[in-house]
Amino acid sequence: MEKTFVIGIDIGGTNTVYGVVDARGTILYSGSIKTGKHADIKDYITELGKGLEIVIDQVGGHEKIKGIGVGAPNGNYFNGCIEFAPNLPWKGRIPLAQLISESVGCIPVTLTNDANAAAIGEMTYGAARGMKDFIVITLGTGVGSGIVIGGNLVYGNDGFAGELGHTIIRRKNGRNCGCGRQGCLEAYTSATGVARTAREILELRTDESVLRDIDPDEITSKDVYDAAMKGDRVALEIFEFTGHMLGEAFADFIAFSSPEAIILFGGLTKAGDLIMNPIRESMDKNVLKVFAGKTKLIFSQLKESDAAVLGASALGWEAKEID
Amino acid sequence: MEKTFVIGIDIGGTNTVYGVVDARGTILYSGSIKTGKHADIKDYITELGKGLEIVIDQVGGHEKIKGIGVGAPNGNYFNGCIEFAPNLPWKGRIPLAQLISESVGCIPVTLTNDANAAAIGEMTYGAARGMKDFIVITLGTGVGSGIVIGGNLVYGNDGFAGELGHTIIRRKNGRNCGCGRQGCLEAYTSATGVARTAREILELRTDESVLRDIDPDEITSKDVYDAAMKGDRVALEIFEFTGHMLGEAFADFIAFSSPEAIILFGGLTKAGDLIMNPIRESMDKNVLKVFAGKTKLIFSQLKESDAAVLGASALGWEAKEID
């Protein structure tokens, strides 16, 4: 029987989303589970396996599935493990590809970084079609990146290249990051970083803001967005601060690989011009002269959940059965 | 007649070195001219052309030369121009490959960044033999880099990728850099950056140092090295400061491409452990946990002048005659 479908799984710090995808890139059936509520990896795999079996049945059973592609934080393309992922509940080295494969009758599984999967999705179906050199920056619970150079994803010597959320943007007095260090880009420009900025500004300043109506510990980046859309000055400044930092960082990324485009992906991109304008201004101001005006700054053209699942699913076509 | 030789030209901020190279990578004849003394590019090309004709004659004339490879700051592999090179006397965009070719009877010329040429030399003859993912950092008048990913040099979308000397290492109160911005790695960790650090420390502090016997405006990185070898405390601290900054920067570079090795090249590497020990300490302290202990830190295994000329010459074999 011809194997005509693949499965894409996107594992985020909060949610795990999966879907069955056909050869034209259509997601036929999908589902999701909460990533964070399973402190034990076995419980997580059990619940995920149940969900996968449902969508597998919907397209006609295991025989129809060519392979499974997984995008996960700190996912290693070379060995199928997630290793030391700061935003996931499981510590150390987890053989995730193997565990998922075993949970669904040994369908072959290929794993990569969730941001790399997004970059593959963008290259196959989105804003990076036809591009050979680009960087996808994912602005979600964390800040991830998928780097494509000469048409190939950059995996590096160990499979973990492209951790641009953990380059240092503030070397002095930097915020603590989930990775155990200080001053990482992620600590400032992830969705949670934006909420931290809000709490910091509200505590340091006394000017009015609709954000003061919210319990500081409960403020989210969505609250900041809603306030900014109402013209709240503090909320607008939070996006400016966040965007300026991203622009500074992007100027350094451009000095590394001189990409045709940097593509923004993930929850924070819903802020649109509120985040894009300060990024562009700061990137233009900070970039080395030889690169001025050369790198496009664009939003992902794919729906967030679709892109991650589609990108991961693309890996499913190259998944090989274990001998 | 078989074309059995290539010419490599290494253009540095101070000297231009060239040599005729055979297929086994032996430099048969070589020469050099001063780069900086020619404010007019035409004068420079005239003197360089005369020097090249001498070495060409020594191996039997133009018919013996397959091509010329040039490594030059801000050299663009794609169009053969140098563009906005901060450490060269010529401003704007200079069609260097074409000018050199015309000066020697239209032998084909291929151009790249001097640091890229060093990386090709290192991959072909040096410390990077057999490696597919590594970064060469050149510590000379400026700080350059040649990045190899998956066995290929990273040229980027415009031919200028790999300007790691112009990533920002100090965002607040950073030193002015020759590129017109502030806080670049090059402003601190080039040979001239080391001399600037010496001047700054001597002015800010009052403790004794043999460096105080030298006119501050005349201090060079060589003076700092000589003082450090005599055990001068201030000179040792200057190398520690420089090395720590490089280590911080390398930790970020590793987060980008996760290379098997970072290879140090250029004048400052003569300082040996004086610079290597603080780099290693700082890199290990600052690197993201997932990359800990994975990237080798090594010195170039080639003589400085040889590596640059050999690397550039390797491009000569792929040079094509203009139709």
Side-chain angles (χ1 to χ4, degrees), chain A residues 74 83-84 92 179-181, chain B residues 286-294:
Chain A
N74 285 35
E83 307 183 19
F84 308 108
C179 73
R181 302 178 311 154
Chain B
N286 285 285
V287 78
L288 190 65
K289 187 177 179 186
V290 71
F291 301 119
K294 289 182 179 172

Side-chain angles (χ1 to χ4, degrees), chain B:
Chain B
M1 193 188 297
E2 203 183 352
K3 298 186 175 187
T4 45
F5 303 103
V6 288
I7 290 175
I9 305 176
D10 172 52
I11 302 179
T14 310
N15 295 308
T16 295
V17 185
Y18 51 87
V20 182
V21 178
D22 69 15
R24 291 168 305 191
T26 308
I27 298 176
L28 301 172
Y29 301 98
S30 61
S32 71
I33 66 171
K34 292 282 174 199
T35 311
K37 76 170 186 184
H38 300 284
D40 187 331
I41 182 69
K42 286 180 193 163
D43 297 341
Y44 172 80
I45 292 291
T46 302
E47 190 185 346
L48 178 61
K50 284 180 190 162
L52 292 176
E53 291 292 359
I54 293 170
V55 294
I56 291 169
D57 283 348
Q58 285 173 309
V59 293
H62 291 67
E63 303 74 24
K64 291 283 201 176
I65 308 295
K66 172 84 170 74
I68 296 175
V70 183
N74 285 35
N76 188 330
Y77 177 78
F78 294 151
N79 65 15
C81 294
I82 52 171
E83 306 183 21
F84 308 107
N87 294 319
L88 293 183
W90 321 299
K91 299 309 163 201
R93 182 174 286 115
I94 308 284
L96 196 68
Q98 186 192 336
L99 293 172
I100 292 175
S101 181
E102 287 170 1
S103 80
V104 288
C106 294
I107 295 172
V109 175
T110 300
L111 176 77
T112 192
N113 188 305
D114 51 344
N116 286 346
I120 294 173
E122 217 60 60
M123 186 159 50
T124 313
Y125 309 106
R129 273 172 295 188
M131 289 188 191
K132 287 188 165 295
D133 295 277
F134 66 96
I135 299 175
V136 169
I137 301 287
T138 65
L139 301 168
T141 310
V143 173
S145 59
I147 304 165
V148 172
I149 290 179
N152 296 308
L153 252 169
V154 175
Y155 289 112
N157 190 51
D158 64 344
F160 285 124
E163 284 291 349
L164 299 185
H166 295 284
T167 53
I168 305 299
I169 193 73
R170 285 296 175 267
R171 292 195 184 274
K172 306 285 181 192
N173 202 25
R175 281 185 194 168
N176 286 327
C177 180
C179 73
R181 304 178 309 154
Q182 286 81 42
C184 292
L185 187 63
E186 170 169 303
Y188 295 90
T189 65
S190 60
T192 45
V194 168
R196 285 170 79 174
T197 302
R199 282 193 286 277
E200 226 173 63
I201 286 188
L202 291 171
E203 194 174 346
L204 288 171
R205 297 176 12 173
T206 56
D207 44 348
E208 280 186 29
S209 166
V210 297
L211 292 169
R212 295 199 186 277
D213 300 338
I214 308 168
D215 175 356
D217 290 339
E218 302 293 327
I219 287 178
T220 66
S221 60
K222 170 85 166 50
D223 296 325
V224 181
Y225 171 73
D226 290 342
M229 291 307 285
K230 290 175 194 156
D232 186 81
R233 190 59 236 159
V234 169
L236 290 166
E237 280 183 36
I238 292 166
F239 278 111
E240 277 165 26
F241 174 85
T242 309
H244 282 153
M245 248 179 198
L246 283 167
E248 288 176 17
F250 290 1
D252 279 352
F253 303 161
I254 292 170
F256 198 105
S257 70
S258 189
E260 178 177 349
I262 294 176
I263 299 170
L264 301 180
F265 179 91
L268 264 194
T269 62
K270 296 195 183 82
D273 284 348
L274 287 178
I275 188 90
M276 186 63 105
N277 287 343
I279 295 176
R280 197 184 305 279
E281 184 189 318
S282 166
M283 190 175 96
D284 288 349
K285 184 180 154 200
N286 285 285
V287 78
L288 190 65
K289 187 177 179 186
V290 71
F291 301 119
K294 289 182 179 172
T295 302
K296 287 174 237 166
L297 191 58
I298 48 184
F299 285 125
S300 166
Q301 289 175 4
L302 299 170
K303 273 202 302 177
E304 188 183 355
S305 57
D306 280 10
V309 168
L310 286 174
S313 77
L315 284 169
W317 295 111
E318 59 176 83
K320 289 197 181 70
E321 301 200 29
I322 298 153
D323 296 326

Side-chain angles (χ1 to χ4, degrees), chain A residues 169-249:
Chain A
I169 194 71
R170 286 295 176 267
R171 292 196 184 273
K172 306 286 181 190
N173 202 25
R175 282 185 193 165
N176 287 326
C177 181
C179 73
R181 302 178 311 154
Q182 285 82 41
C184 293
L185 187 63
E186 170 169 302
Y188 294 89
T189 66
S190 60
T192 45
V194 168
R196 285 170 80 175
T197 303
R199 282 193 286 278
E200 228 173 61
I201 286 189
L202 291 172
E203 194 173 346
L204 287 170
R205 297 178 10 175
T206 55
D207 44 347
E208 281 186 26
S209 167
V210 297
L211 292 170
R212 295 199 186 277
D213 299 339
I214 307 168
D215 175 355
D217 291 338
E218 302 293 327
I219 287 179
T220 65
S221 60
K222 170 88 166 52
D223 296 325
V224 181
Y225 171 73
D226 291 342
M229 291 307 285
K230 289 175 194 156
D232 186 83
R233 190 58 235 159
V234 170
L236 289 166
E237 280 183 37
I238 292 167
F239 278 111
E240 278 165 26
F241 173 86
T242 309
H244 282 153
M245 248 180 198
L246 283 166
E248 288 177 16

Side-chain angles (χ1 to χ4, degrees), chain A residues 44 100 145 196 278 293:
Chain A
Y44 171 79
I100 292 174
S145 60
R196 285 170 80 175

Side-chain angles (χ1 to χ4, degrees), chain A:
Chain A
M1 195 187 296
E2 202 182 353
K3 297 185 175 187
T4 44
F5 303 104
V6 288
I7 290 175
I9 305 176
D10 173 52
I11 302 179
T14 310
N15 294 307
T16 295
V17 185
Y18 50 87
V20 182
V21 178
D22 68 16
R24 291 168 304 190
T26 308
I27 299 177
L28 302 172
Y29 301 98
S30 62
S32 72
I33 67 172
K34 292 282 173 200
T35 310
K37 77 171 189 185
H38 300 283
D40 187 333
I41 183 68
K42 286 181 194 163
D43 296 342
Y44 171 79
I45 292 291
T46 302
E47 190 185 345
L48 177 61
K50 284 179 189 164
L52 293 177
E53 292 291 0
I54 292 169
V55 293
I56 291 168
D57 283 349
Q58 284 172 309
V59 293
H62 291 67
E63 303 74 22
K64 293 282 202 176
I65 308 294
K66 172 84 170 73
I68 296 175
V70 183
N74 285 35
N76 189 329
Y77 178 78
F78 294 151
N79 65 16
C81 293
I82 52 173
E83 307 183 19
F84 308 108
N87 294 318
L88 293 182
W90 321 299
K91 299 308 162 201
R93 183 174 285 117
I94 307 284
L96 196 68
Q98 185 191 339
L99 292 172
I100 292 174
S101 181
E102 288 170 1
S103 79
V104 288
C106 295
I107 295 171
V109 175
T110 301
L111 175 77
T112 191
N113 188 304
D114 49 344
N116 285 347
I120 295 173
E122 217 60 59
M123 187 159 49
T124 314
Y125 310 106
R129 272 171 297 188
M131 288 188 194
K132 286 190 167 293
D133 296 277
F134 66 94
I135 299 175
V136 170
I137 301 287
T138 64
L139 302 168
T141 310
V143 173
S145 60
I147 304 164
V148 172
I149 290 179
N152 296 307
L153 253 168
V154 175
Y155 289 112
N157 190 51
D158 63 344
F160 285 124
E163 284 290 350
L164 299 184
H166 296 284
T167 54
I168 305 299
I169 194 71
R170 286 295 176 267
R171 292 196 184 273
K172 306 286 181 190
N173 202 25
R175 282 185 193 165
N176 287 326
C177 181
C179 73
R181 302 178 311 154
Q182 285 82 41
C184 293
L185 187 63
E186 170 169 302
Y188 294 89
T189 66
S190 60
T192 45
V194 168
R196 285 170 80 175
T197 303
R199 282 193 286 278
E200 228 173 61
I201 286 189
L202 291 172
E203 194 173 346
L204 287 170
R205 297 178 10 175
T206 55
D207 44 347
E208 281 186 26
S209 167
V210 297
L211 292 170
R212 295 199 186 277
D213 299 339
I214 307 168
D215 175 355
D217 291 338
E218 302 293 327
I219 287 179
T220 65
S221 60
K222 170 88 166 52
D223 296 325
V224 181
Y225 171 73
D226 291 342
M229 291 307 285
K230 289 175 194 156
D232 186 83
R233 190 58 235 159
V234 170
L236 289 166
E237 280 183 37
I238 292 167
F239 278 111
E240 278 165 26
F241 173 86
T242 309
H244 282 153
M245 248 180 198
L246 283 166
E248 288 177 16
F250 290 2
D252 279 351
F253 303 161
I254 291 170
F256 198 105
S257 70
S258 189
E260 178 178 349
I262 294 176
I263 300 170
L264 301 180
F265 178 92
L268 265 195
T269 63
K270 296 195 183 83
D273 284 347
L274 288 177
I275 188 89
M276 187 62 104
N277 288 343
I279 294 177
R280 196 183 308 276
E281 184 188 319
S282 165
M283 190 175 98
D284 289 348
K285 185 180 153 198
N286 285 285
V287 79
L288 190 64
K289 187 177 178 187
V290 71
F291 301 119
K294 289 182 178 172
T295 302
K296 288 174 239 167
L297 192 57
I298 47 184
F299 285 125
S300 165
Q301 288 174 5
L302 298 170
K303 273 203 302 177
E304 188 182 356
S305 59
D306 280 9
V309 168
L310 285 174
S313 77
L315 285 169
W317 295 111
E318 58 176 85
K320 289 198 180 70
E321 302 201 27
I322 298 155
D323 296 325

